[in-house]
Amino acid sequence: MKNFITIEGIDGCGKSTLLDFIKHDIENRGYSIESAKEINNMHFHASRSLEELKKLIWPPEDWKSYAHVMPREYWMYLQAAWYTVQSEHFYKPSLKAHKKIITDGWVYKFMAKLAVDGFPSELINSVFSNVAKPDLVVMLDVAPDVIYQRKRGFSAYEKGSMIGDISNDGDSFISYQKQVRSALIKQANLHGWCILSVDQNETPAVTAHRFFQLLKI
């Protein structure tokens, strides 16, 4: 039984777009669509703590260009705190109550970014060891240059500002996301994720159809 499914992938790969497209069908199958970046119903103190964390992790855009000023461990432990509280106060209780959940991303993209930043896998896995584990992870695999051509206008985080000063051109996005993609594929191969490769000409309807075939739900 796949009660907890997450769609992973690099920044801009279309995770939220895919879930928006399949929202009606997936909810008819009994799944609740959740965002790991949103604060769900939980104990008021946990919610209040997450509100403060959210301000630090996802600040105004003009602050993000200076993310590299803070020690890299700062970002790792902030994210670990966020996902651990989310897991303990929403995801684990929901799954224990047999709720079926699908998310547009979970902790794995950030873990991939930590790997790109040079953190050893043993430390990364230890820090995030208490985070809820999905029953199935589907990696939506889109080449960074394809994403750049169809989207443009990326945040400093998406261009790697957490690991160093960045330029304003598209090369920063493509170069950084190629590294993140490689780290995600390494995780996918290690943990047996499903990889759904999407080319630049594929329509959302086709991707959705292939996604449901993959899930078999």
Side-chain angles (χ1 to χ4, degrees):
M1 177 70 71
K2 302 179 182 71
N3 286 336
F4 184 15
I5 300 170
T6 187
I7 304 174
E8 276 291 359
I10 63 174
D11 294 310
C13 70
K15 299 183 291 294
S16 298
T17 300
L18 175 60
L19 280 182
D20 284 344
F21 194 85
I22 65 172
K23 178 178 172 63
H24 180 72
D25 287 336
I26 203 73
E27 288 179 345
N28 281 345
R29 288 167 167 80
Y31 284 87
S32 169
I33 297 176
E34 306 290 347
S35 171
K37 290 185 178 181
E38 296 303 321
I39 301 171
N40 300 289
N41 294 327
M42 59 182 74
H43 190 280
F44 79 94
H45 182 67
S47 297
R48 185 170 60 184
S49 298
L50 286 178
E51 289 286 359
E52 296 304 313
L53 278 172
K54 192 169 187 176
K55 295 174 187 176
L56 296 172
I57 300 172
W58 297 289
E61 186 58 39
D62 58 331
W63 289 25
K64 293 180 180 179
S65 295
Y66 300 98
H68 64 284
V69 173
M70 302 303 289
R72 57 186 190 158
E73 289 82 4
Y74 169 86
W75 297 111
M76 177 173 68
Y77 289 114
L78 281 181
Q79 292 273 1
W82 174 270
Y83 282 101
T84 301
V85 173
Q86 285 273 37
S87 293
E88 293 301 318
H89 285 275
F90 179 74
Y91 286 91
K92 288 181 180 179
S94 296
L95 294 168
K96 189 175 181 179
H98 307 292
K99 185 176 181 180
K100 296 163 71 176
I101 298 172
I102 184 166
T103 66
D104 60 340
W106 191 228
V107 69
Y108 301 110
K109 180 179 69 176
F110 188 74
M111 292 175 72
K113 290 183 177 183
L114 290 173
V116 170
D117 197 17
F119 282 95
S121 59
E122 295 81 4
L123 176 59
I124 298 172
N125 291 333
S126 175
V127 168
F128 292 96
S129 61
N130 290 322
V131 172
K133 305 297 188 293
D135 300 308
L136 177 67
V137 179
V138 177
M139 179 181 171
L140 199 59
D141 186 27
V142 185
D145 54 337
V146 171
I147 296 172
Y148 175 73
Q149 290 299 325
R150 76 184 184 192
K151 183 181 177 184
R152 306 296 177 96
F154 300 94
S155 77
Y157 279 2
E158 294 172 328
K159 293 188 283 187
S161 64
M162 286 184 180
I163 64 174
D165 203 357
I166 58 169
S167 66
N168 291 321
D169 57 30
D171 289 341
S172 295
F173 173 82
I174 294 172
S175 175
Y176 179 58
Q177 294 296 334
K178 280 183 177 179
Q179 296 177 73
V180 177
R181 180 192 185 195
S182 294
L184 277 171
I185 290 174
K186 184 176 180 180
Q187 288 189 65
N189 292 333
L190 182 64
H191 299 295
W193 298 354
C194 295
I195 298 179
L196 186 61
S197 298
V198 181
D199 65 35
Q200 59 184 337
N201 298 316
E202 185 165 300
T203 65
V206 172
T207 304
H209 177 70
R210 294 174 59 219
F211 178 74
F212 280 118
Q213 284 187 319
L214 198 63
L215 264 57
K216 297 179 181 178
I217 58 174

